Amino acid sequence: MLPEFSMSSLASKTCVPCRGGVPPLKGKELEALHQQVPQWKVVNERQISRSFAFPDFKQALDFVNRVGELAESQGHHPDILLAWGKAEITLWTHKIDGLTESDFIMAAKIDALDTKTR
């Protein structure tokens, strides 16, 4: 049986740098973590992404800047697309070209940032 996680428990964890040599998450392990950040879309079991909508460019930029500070503190850096009224975030572990628990931890932390701004 897989352990149960909650968004708050994922968000309270710290991202762990991947040194390679570990298999990317697949199947039931991936799905168990995905259930904890359901607004994120799993892309080909390789990446997770989410779009965030904002009323204007400034608020989207403020959010992206907070995500950037979080990424630096966690040592886990997403791809970020900033546009007027929107930010798209994509996460994966580059070292293994797939997903690890740290990607889902970062997603939960980003969700918590978004919750605080709205």
Side-chain angles (χ1 to χ4, degrees):
M1 178 155 187
L2 295 172
E4 288 188 31
F5 299 98
S6 71
M7 187 172 84
S8 61
S9 71
L10 277 177
S12 69
K13 291 185 170 189
T14 300
C15 294
V16 177
C18 180
R19 310 239 184 272
V22 297
L25 292 169
K26 299 281 183 195
K28 290 180 182 178
E29 288 178 308
L30 180 114
E31 185 54 36
L33 287 167
H34 181 230
Q35 288 176 11
Q36 306 312 307
V37 288
Q39 293 176 304
W40 290 76
K41 179 177 143 188
V42 175
V43 180
N44 298 325
E45 288 195 329
R46 190 176 153 261
Q47 299 177 338
I48 54 175
S49 66
R50 181 174 173 198
S51 266
F52 297 84
F54 300 91
D56 56 35
F57 184 82
K58 182 178 181 335
Q59 288 182 51
L61 177 60
D62 289 345
F63 175 72
V64 164
N65 286 331
R66 284 192 310 281
V67 170
E69 289 173 18
L70 174 64
E72 278 297 299
S73 74
Q74 293 294 305
H76 197 74
H77 302 93
D79 286 358
I80 301 172
L81 172 66
L82 172 64
W84 192 97
K86 127 176 135 169
E88 292 179 14
I89 312 252
T90 303
L91 291 159
W92 78 98
T93 300
H94 296 81
K95 193 85 166 175
I96 62 168
D97 196 26
L99 293 163
T100 64
E101 182 184 38
S102 288
D103 298 300
F104 291 92
I105 291 169
M106 190 67 181
K109 289 179 178 293
I110 292 168
D111 284 350
L113 278 181
D114 182 50
T115 302
K116 289 177 186 173
T117 61
R118 299 193 191 247

